[in-house]
Amino acid sequence: MRALPIAVVAAAAALTLTACDSGGSSSDSDGGKKASTASSAAASTACKIDRIGIQVGPANAAPAAGDTGNVPVTLTNKGAECTLQGFPAVKVLDGGTGTDVPEEKSATPPKLTLAASGTASFTITYVRGTAGDGKSLAATTLKIGLPGAATTQSFKWSYGPLAGKTGPNDPNASVSSFQPAGD
């Protein structure tokens, strides 16, 4: 007897849910406009690298092979208020060869709003490699980009070779998400 009321309640709930408009695969033109408007608004408020000043370091450089170092990077907004969300795009190169520095896996990036002249930062953490080692990347250049943008800025990498986990294209390094900086 008890199974009948549960079955009736489950059937009623299913019918109620199918009567609702989920908007998931709807051809409602309004939903598409709202989504594209939201995407356009997010894109228009995103910080642009040509309006951001970038300072790399001073670093807590790894002194010897196998040591861990930290390179702080500070961003200063030189334009109107903008937002940063996600992770910076960071690449290290040794001349023509380069590799992306992976995002810190445990980090959940906050959405930051940078006022004019506001600052944010992120940190590159790396393990120093051994010069001439087949697993290390003899990095000389650091490229930094903002989320969703193809443009980067280049800086000198002067912190020694980057150790690789399995090889030079698998760096033992990570980049943190953007964090608020300053007062």
Side-chain angles (χ1 to χ4, degrees):
M1 284 302 245
R2 188 170 178 102
L4 182 58
I6 292 173
V8 170
V9 170
L15 289 173
T16 302
L17 289 176
T18 58
C20 294
D21 178 18
S22 68
S25 60
S26 164
S27 62
D28 180 21
S29 63
D30 218 3
K33 288 180 188 173
K34 288 179 186 174
S36 65
T37 302
S39 296
S40 296
S44 68
T45 63
C47 295
K48 309 285 188 267
I49 201 158
D50 62 339
R51 295 185 188 139
I52 296 287
I54 300 177
Q55 178 185 348
V56 177
N60 173 18
D67 291 340
T68 300
N70 296 299
V71 181
V73 179
T74 304
L75 310 172
T76 303
N77 184 8
K78 297 184 182 281
E81 182 177 278
C82 63
T83 57
L84 290 169
Q85 186 166 19
F87 289 86
V90 175
K91 188 170 192 158
V92 287
L93 298 100
D94 72 346
T97 305
T99 188
D100 294 326
V101 175
E103 300 166 353
E104 202 173 74
K105 291 183 183 187
S106 62
T108 302
K111 181 177 183 178
L112 297 180
T113 300
L114 283 182
S117 301
T119 59
S121 66
F122 64 89
T123 302
I124 302 165
T125 302
Y126 71 100
V127 174
R128 186 174 181 138
T130 303
D133 179 9
K135 282 188 170 182
S136 297
L137 178 69
T140 57
T141 304
L142 172 67
K143 287 192 173 190
I144 297 172
L146 298 180
T151 307
T152 61
Q153 287 187 20
S154 295
F155 301 89
K156 182 177 180 172
W157 178 268
S158 58
Y159 311 111
L162 228 65
K165 294 176 187 173
T166 59
N169 293 323
D170 183 23
N172 193 350
S174 65
V175 61
S176 73
S177 62
F178 297 107
Q179 300 297 315
D183 294 337

